[in-house]
Amino acid sequence: MMTDAKINAGINANERIDDLCRDNLRLIQNTDVFCFGMDAVLLSTFAKAGKNQKVLDMGTGNGVIPILMQAKNPGSMYTGLEIQDISYDLAVRNVELNSLSDKVNIVKGDIKEASHILGGASFNVVTSNPPYMNENHGIVNPESAKAIARHELLCSLEDVVREASKCLKVKGHMYMVHRPSRLVDIFTSMKNNHLEPKRIRLVYPHIDKPANMVLIEAVKGGRSQLIVEEPLIVYNSDGSYTEELLKMYN
C-alpha cells in the first residue's frame, strides 16, 4: 500500500481520496468527473465471480467496481475497460493505490470494440454500469466526462449488451445496473444477443416510492426462467440507511 505522503503527492487539482469502507480500500475521485454512486456499490454486491474466473467491467470509470468486487470474490481476475482518458488515468492510479496490479488490469478502449480488443468468449463474467439516458437533448457540453457517463453518447445499450455477449463464454454471466424504465429495451437487447435474463432485483429509495434502479443477471445461452427477488429498500422512514444497505457498505 502506498504511504500517505506518496498518495498526497500524486493527488491532482479537484481530486479527493474516498474510503471504500472495506479492506482498507481507497479510491481517488475527480470532482470534475462522474464520481461513483450507490449503483456501483449495489452492482459490486449483486454480481458474483468464482475462483479463477475472469471478469470484465465494461466502462469501468475510475475502477470502483472491479476494486470492490475483488474484495468480495477472492481468487477472481479483473479487467476494466475504459475509453475516457481522465477516467482511465484514475482507474490505473486506483489500482496502484490499492496494490492490486496482480488482480486488476485496466485497458483503454471502446466498448463498441470490446470483443475485438479483449477477445471473444474470453470472460466468465461481465459487469456494466452503463449510461442510463438515451435522450440527449439540452446537454450543455456533450464531450464532458459527466455527460458521457450519464448519456448514451459514445455507446448505446445495444452496444453494451452485444459486446458483453461476444466477450462471454457460453454459460457466462452478465450483471448490469440500470433504470427500471429501460427494462423492456434491456430484455429485448439481451434476448437478441443470446443472453437470457435470469434474475432481477428492483431497488426502491423508500418503501412507498417507485423503484429507481434495477439489478439484472443474465446468462449466455441460458434457459428461459426469470427470478424476481425481494425488493431492496435504501432508506428507512427517518432517512437513515436500511440494515441491508449498511451491510452492503460494510
Side-chain angles (χ1 to χ4, degrees), residues 3-250:
T3 66
D4 287 339
K6 287 183 178 179
I7 291 170
N8 292 332
I11 294 300
N12 301 320
N14 301 320
E15 290 183 348
R16 67 173 192 250
I17 296 179
D18 291 338
D19 186 351
L20 292 179
C21 301
R22 189 180 185 99
D23 297 358
N24 297 313
L25 295 171
R26 290 178 284 182
L27 201 78
I28 304 169
Q29 300 215 83
N30 187 320
T31 54
D32 289 338
V33 183
F34 189 73
C35 295
F36 84 90
M38 184 179 294
D39 44 7
V41 177
L42 296 181
L43 181 60
S44 72
T45 302
F46 184 76
K48 306 298 179 187
K51 188 175 181 180
N52 297 322
Q53 288 196 328
K54 295 176 64 179
V55 182
L56 169 63
D57 184 41
M58 298 174 64
T60 198
N62 57 25
V64 62
I65 290 174
I67 287 172
L68 282 174
M69 276 193 68
Q70 63 79 33
K72 301 174 184 182
N73 300 271
S76 46
M77 297 295 298
Y78 295 82
T79 297
L81 182 66
E82 176 56 44
I83 191 171
Q84 296 194 74
D85 290 331
I86 189 169
S87 296
Y88 169 80
D89 175 68
L90 283 170
V92 169
R93 291 160 59 206
N94 281 322
V95 171
E96 179 184 359
L97 171 65
N98 292 288
S99 301
L100 292 174
S101 58
D102 59 331
K103 298 179 181 179
V104 182
N105 177 44
I106 305 299
V107 176
K108 189 173 185 300
D110 191 338
I111 284 176
K112 298 193 295 293
E113 300 175 357
S115 58
H116 175 72
I117 296 169
L118 300 167
S122 297
F123 294 90
N124 307 99
V125 175
V126 171
T127 59
S128 185
N129 179 8
Y132 293 150
M133 303 178 190
N134 60 350
E135 295 294 336
N136 303 321
H137 323 297
I139 300 175
V140 175
N141 181 4
E143 296 182 357
S144 74
K146 289 183 179 179
I148 290 169
R150 292 186 176 117
H151 298 263
E152 294 181 355
L153 296 173
L154 298 185
C155 68
S156 65
L157 173 63
E158 176 65 21
D159 293 328
V160 173
V161 174
R162 182 192 67 247
E163 290 303 306
S165 181
K166 287 183 177 181
C167 287
L168 279 172
K169 298 179 180 181
V170 175
K171 302 302 180 183
H173 292 244
M174 181 187 186
Y175 297 92
M176 177 189 289
V177 59
H178 217 291
R179 296 293 190 219
S181 61
R182 301 293 303 279
L183 266 174
V184 172
D185 295 336
I186 292 167
F187 284 176
T188 299
S189 182
M190 285 181 167
K191 287 275 194 178
N192 289 341
N193 288 283
H194 314 293
L195 289 168
E196 185 64 36
K198 300 293 288 184
R199 182 169 65 106
I200 67 169
R201 190 174 193 190
L202 289 161
V203 182
Y204 297 78
H206 293 273
I207 196 168
D208 59 346
K209 300 293 184 182
N212 62 353
M213 282 186 281
V214 61
L215 297 158
I216 306 161
E217 176 185 8
V219 175
K220 184 174 180 178
R223 294 182 178 179
S224 179
Q225 183 179 15
L226 178 66
I227 296 172
V228 180
E229 296 188 340
E230 70 276 10
L232 173 58
I233 312 300
V234 175
Y235 295 107
N236 294 310
S237 58
D238 62 1
S240 62
Y241 282 139
T242 59
E243 183 177 349
E244 185 171 10
L245 250 291
L246 289 175
K247 287 180 180 178
M248 289 183 177
Y249 274 93
N250 203 34

